[in-house]
């Protein structure tokens, strides 16, 4: 077990390193190797069993200052994940391969994204927070043939993501939009909706989606609780008159877990 004070020092160090690397992003791949190394190191840190006791001690004994640090590092780590996706896209478009452990970790989670509610050829999928390297749309469309719409509020991410799709999945039924859920026709038609774990207001959007979606829609909410909340926005309570948690897909060795929701009226 790592000592709590050393654990906290490590978190502060990660926060500082992420902050410095976020500042130097300039639309090129100049600092991509440094950021990839830090993200891979951090992924191992938040999934290490040996860190859980120190986490619990700090949560119980120093809740307010420590939770402030957690919020800070989560925000800047999420920003760096978005930047790392931009680096990966730029490298692909420049003819370079990119194989960071973080991306392998994410890709291996996609296989079990919807638990028992699997995506098929007749599904329609909406991804909230598609990013610059839209792995999830590419994998779903390639493996199932289902149409996928990805949205993101970052215009650069949409532009890079479209180029990645054109390179890796030409002809696949993938649409990327800089848009909001209430502006999309697919929102009313979606059978499956996925939220990125680094979308900070994902539960606000989930609440909004209740009035905009089909009765039998399935929502996969990527999240991270406890130690994993250093890297991901955690699970939140939902209005049980609208949504019910029906299944969780827990992946101890992976950077996020998945909560599956359905409308309350469907399962009453």
């Amino acid at each position: 077990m790592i000592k709590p004070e050393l654990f906290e020092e490590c978190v502060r160090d990660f926060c500082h390193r992420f902050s410095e690397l976020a500042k130097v992003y300039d639309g090129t791949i100049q600092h991509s190797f440094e950021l990839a190394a830090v993200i891979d190191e951090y992924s191992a840190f938040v999934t290490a069993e040996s860190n859980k006791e120190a986490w619990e001690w700090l949560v119980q004994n120093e809740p307010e200052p420590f939770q402030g640090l957690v919020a800070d590092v989560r925000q800047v780590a999420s920003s760096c994940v978005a930047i790392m996706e931009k680096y990966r896209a730029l490298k692909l478009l420049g003819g370079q391969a990119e194989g960071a452990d973080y991306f392998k970790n994410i890709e291996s989670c996609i296989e079990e994204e919807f638990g028992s509610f699997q995506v098929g050829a007749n599904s329609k999928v909406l991804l909230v927070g598609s990013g610059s390297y839209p792995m999830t749309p590419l994998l779903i469309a390639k493996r199932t043939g289902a149409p996928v719409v990805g949205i993101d509020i970052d215009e650069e991410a949409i532009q890079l993501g479209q180029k990645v799709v054109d390179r890796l999945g030409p002809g696949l039924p993938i649409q990327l939009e800089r848009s909001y859920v209430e502006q999309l026709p697919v929102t009313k038609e979606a059978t499956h909706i996925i939220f990125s774990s680094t979308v900070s207001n994902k539960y606000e959007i989930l609440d909004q989606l209740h009035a905009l979606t089909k009765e039998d829609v399935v929502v996969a909410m990527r999240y991270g609780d406890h130690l994993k909340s250093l890297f991901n926005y955690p699970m939140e309570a939902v209005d049980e008159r609208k949504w019910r948690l029906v299944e969780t897909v827990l992946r101890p060795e992976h950077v996020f877990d998945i909560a599956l929701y359905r409308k309350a009226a469907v399962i009453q």
Side-chain angles (χ1 to χ4, degrees):
M1 169 188 164
I2 185 174
K3 292 183 178 180
E5 57 268 27
L6 180 56
F7 178 93
E8 187 171 7
E9 182 181 334
C10 288
V11 174
R12 291 189 186 280
D13 182 61
F14 276 120
C15 192
H16 173 74
R17 292 159 72 189
F18 279 133
S19 296
E20 292 303 306
L21 286 164
K23 291 176 186 176
V24 297
Y25 173 68
D26 61 0
T28 73
I29 63 171
Q30 182 178 359
H31 299 280
S32 61
F33 288 108
E34 299 110 293
L35 184 56
V38 176
I39 285 180
D40 286 346
E41 185 181 344
Y42 198 55
S43 299
F45 184 81
V46 303
T47 56
E49 285 286 331
S50 57
N51 287 333
K52 288 185 175 181
E53 287 188 36
W55 163 271
E56 293 296 339
W57 190 95
L58 287 163
V59 168
Q60 293 174 14
N61 293 277
E62 299 179 8
E64 291 187 12
F66 182 63
Q67 288 301 334
L69 174 60
V70 170
D72 289 343
V73 73
R74 179 195 301 133
Q75 189 277 325
V76 72
S78 297
S79 296
C80 282
V81 166
I83 293 170
M84 193 65 234
E85 288 193 7
K86 292 177 181 180
Y87 284 143
R88 192 185 193 195
L90 289 167
K91 286 188 174 185
L92 173 75
L93 299 171
Q96 300 180 47
E98 176 62 52
D101 290 344
Y102 172 80
F103 289 113
K104 295 175 184 176
N105 192 300
I106 297 295
E107 287 162 0
S108 62
C109 290
I110 292 170
E111 293 289 348
E112 298 184 17
E113 188 82 59
F114 284 100
S116 59
F117 301 98
Q118 291 297 315
V119 176
N122 295 322
S123 303
K124 293 184 179 180
V125 183
L126 172 62
L127 172 62
V128 181
S130 53
S132 303
Y133 201 98
M135 296 174 289
T136 298
L138 284 163
L139 288 169
I140 289 175
K142 280 183 177 180
R143 294 175 187 178
T144 70
V148 186
V149 176
I151 61 173
D152 205 292
I153 60 173
D154 183 340
E155 181 62 35
E156 184 184 14
I158 291 296
Q159 292 177 1
L160 286 171
Q162 187 61 60
K163 291 177 181 178
V164 169
V165 169
D166 292 343
R167 178 70 62 87
L168 297 180
L172 289 176
I174 297 172
Q175 177 184 348
L176 301 179
E177 300 281 350
R178 185 179 183 273
S179 186
Y180 297 91
V181 292
E182 66 271 18
Q183 299 171 331
L184 293 168
V186 72
T187 302
K188 297 179 180 180
E189 304 166 359
T191 59
H192 297 74
I193 298 175
I194 305 171
F195 280 88
S196 168
S197 66
T198 54
V199 174
S200 61
N201 63 335
K202 56 193 175 186
Y203 277 92
E204 294 176 22
I205 300 173
L206 177 65
D207 188 73
Q208 181 185 7
L209 281 171
H210 185 269
L212 300 174
T213 50
K214 296 172 61 174
E215 286 304 303
D216 60 349
V217 68
V218 180
V219 177
M221 184 75 74
R222 297 172 176 175
Y223 75 97
D225 280 348
H226 310 296
L227 185 59
K228 292 183 183 181
S229 69
L230 286 165
F231 212 166
N232 311 276
Y233 288 91
M235 186 185 294
E236 297 180 17
V238 296
D239 184 342
E240 292 190 356
R241 297 169 298 178
K242 296 180 178 180
W243 298 101
R244 296 286 177 88
L245 176 65
V246 295
E247 188 176 340
T248 54
V249 182
L250 301 177
R251 305 279 299 214
E253 297 180 358
H254 297 270
V255 291
F256 62 73
D257 298 313
I258 301 160
L260 297 176
Y261 295 93
R262 302 197 74 184
K263 289 189 176 180
V266 175
I267 56 177
Q268 286 179 344

